[in-house]
Amino acid sequence: MTEKIGALLVTFNPNLPKLKENLKRILNQVSEVVIIDNGSANIVAIKKLTIQLKVKLLALEKNLGIAGAQNRGFEYFFKNKFQWVLTLDQDTVIPADTVAKMRASKKFNDHSTGILAMKYYDPNWKKTQIERVTRKQKEAETLKWRIISSGNLVRTAVWNLVGGFDEWLFIDQVDFDFDAKVILAGYKIWQVNSLIMEHEIGKSIRKPLWTTLLLFKPNEFILDHSPMREYYIARNTIVCSKRYASHPQLREFKTNLFHEAIMTRKILLYQKPRMKKILAAWRGIADGVKYNPETDKKFGEFKRQIQK
């Protein structure tokens, strides 16, 4: 029996021409495409596009974050007995043969595979960075311990087993938290090296003098974020460290408070309001310090589930 594959694309105020290009790339590769919209201001235009392309739209009344949106999509596919879901976002353009190559991978039929992923590059990167990422590799697949949320073929049974994406995390570290749970549940994450997608993560700040004065490397990749994002980045980095750094396979999650605190100096390179962003980051650090995985009921449910 051929396993059913769906595609899930999360949107939030998307660029319509880019979204249309993304949808056209995926429509003929899967059985069904579902857009989960996270409260976009241009929802009317999105609805018109989905009608035109005959794509299912689930419009959320408010922004539930990437975790909430992905869970609503996976709930739909799981209920309709899809075995796999390809996760995408509005800034991702995948190859036209993505699903065919993933199906052809030996890891696709391996029952220990939880996620199949691909390499990516950002068109805003320097030429040398893109060349390094897109260089051909000898191995057909590479075992990974964490991957970004877009461009992944996820086994729906594994999504269900680990309790889905953590909606309390809301946005940052949601993908890495999910990856960690997949690994702790006994499944593997494989990168299919013949597949490379275009994925925009943002333009790095270019302030050479200030970058040097603040003791960052000249080629340090620094992105400006809103106060809300700064809060979740700081809090969730510490939360994931507390959850997973003690596990031998996931030691790279380990961070320390001094490192997180000193890294907030990067906000001095941001656009205004810098003080509001710094305070948000410090609030996130404080809440991360308070977090205790032993009293986290949902995380406790996950641990009990995988021990059965």
Side-chain angles (χ1 to χ4, degrees):
M1 182 183 74
T2 303
E3 295 192 322
K4 287 173 70 178
I5 297 177
L8 166 61
L9 199 154
V10 177
T11 55
F12 180 68
N13 297 328
N15 174 290
L16 269 296
K18 186 72 173 284
L19 177 60
K20 187 174 184 178
E21 179 188 359
N22 295 350
L23 288 170
K24 285 185 174 180
R25 283 288 184 102
I26 190 60
L27 275 171
N28 295 324
Q29 298 193 52
V30 296
S31 299
E32 185 173 6
V33 177
V34 174
I35 287 180
I36 307 292
D37 183 74
N38 242 336
S40 293
N42 57 345
I43 186 62
V44 173
I46 295 171
K47 285 180 179 178
K48 288 180 180 178
L49 179 61
T50 57
I51 292 170
Q52 177 190 342
L53 297 179
K54 298 179 180 178
V55 171
K56 185 176 183 63
L57 171 66
L58 298 178
L60 305 177
E61 293 182 359
K62 61 179 182 179
N63 187 348
L64 297 183
I66 186 66
Q70 287 189 320
N71 280 338
R72 300 297 86 76
F74 269 86
E75 286 164 4
Y76 172 84
F77 284 117
F78 189 75
K79 180 181 177 182
N80 287 280
K81 304 187 185 310
F82 279 73
Q83 286 74 42
W84 296 87
V85 174
L86 181 64
T87 57
L88 301 167
D89 69 31
Q90 62 200 37
D91 297 315
T92 303
V93 180
I94 63 170
D97 58 353
T98 292
V99 174
K101 283 189 174 179
M102 285 186 167
R103 280 187 181 276
S105 167
K106 291 180 180 179
K107 305 303 179 183
F108 180 81
N109 292 313
D110 186 331
H111 294 297
S112 70
T113 297
I115 303 175
L116 287 173
M118 63 182 101
K119 296 192 287 186
Y120 76 92
Y121 71 92
D122 187 324
N124 297 307
W125 286 354
K126 294 179 180 178
K127 184 179 178 182
T128 52
Q129 289 176 290
I130 295 175
E131 288 175 348
R132 185 167 61 251
V133 170
T134 57
R135 190 180 298 129
K136 191 173 182 180
Q137 292 179 246
K138 292 181 180 179
E139 305 85 2
E141 298 94 5
T142 301
L143 189 65
K144 306 291 285 187
W145 71 279
R146 71 178 185 180
I147 46 171
I148 63 170
S149 61
S150 192
N152 300 331
L153 192 63
V154 181
R155 199 185 290 272
T156 55
V158 175
W159 165 83
N160 184 60
L161 173 67
V162 303
F165 299 91
D166 189 336
E167 297 185 27
W168 177 70
L169 295 179
F170 194 73
I171 182 166
D172 289 286
Q173 297 285 326
V174 168
D175 42 10
F176 299 156
D177 177 79
F178 184 75
D179 298 339
K181 291 193 291 186
V182 167
I183 291 170
L184 292 182
Y187 289 87
K188 292 182 172 64
I189 300 170
W190 292 99
Q191 176 181 278
V192 179
N193 292 325
S194 60
L195 284 169
I196 307 168
M197 65 181 178
E198 178 186 303
H199 178 76
E200 290 189 47
I201 58 176
K203 292 183 179 180
S204 180
I205 295 170
R206 302 293 182 199
K207 294 183 178 179
L209 177 59
W210 278 103
T211 299
T212 302
L213 290 175
L214 290 170
L215 303 180
F216 287 108
K217 296 176 183 177
N219 60 346
E220 189 90 27
F221 197 83
I222 300 173
L223 297 174
D224 197 346
H225 296 295
S226 67
M228 181 192 75
R229 286 291 306 279
E230 283 300 321
Y231 170 80
Y232 283 114
I233 290 169
R235 188 197 70 175
N236 294 351
T237 298
I238 297 170
V239 166
C240 286
S241 177
K242 288 186 173 184
R243 285 180 177 179
Y244 305 117
S246 62
H247 296 277
Q249 294 171 279
L250 303 170
R251 284 176 181 155
E252 291 186 61
F253 270 103
K254 188 170 182 60
T255 188
N256 63 70
L257 295 180
F258 177 76
H259 175 266
E260 293 306 314
I262 204 70
M263 282 300 291
T264 60
R265 74 190 192 280
K266 70 181 184 296
I267 297 173
L268 296 173
L269 298 170
Y270 290 7
Q271 297 295 318
K272 295 179 180 179
R274 297 185 191 92
M275 184 52 66
K276 193 173 181 180
K277 294 175 182 180
I278 288 173
L279 291 175
W282 278 89
R283 195 172 75 254
I285 291 172
D287 286 349
V289 170
K290 295 174 189 174
Y291 174 79
N292 182 355
E294 299 304 318
T295 59
D296 184 333
K297 291 182 180 179
K298 187 168 179 60
F299 187 63
E301 288 173 9
F302 157 71
K303 291 193 292 184
R304 288 189 292 274
Q305 180 67 26
I306 64 171
Q307 287 169 0
K308 290 180 181 179

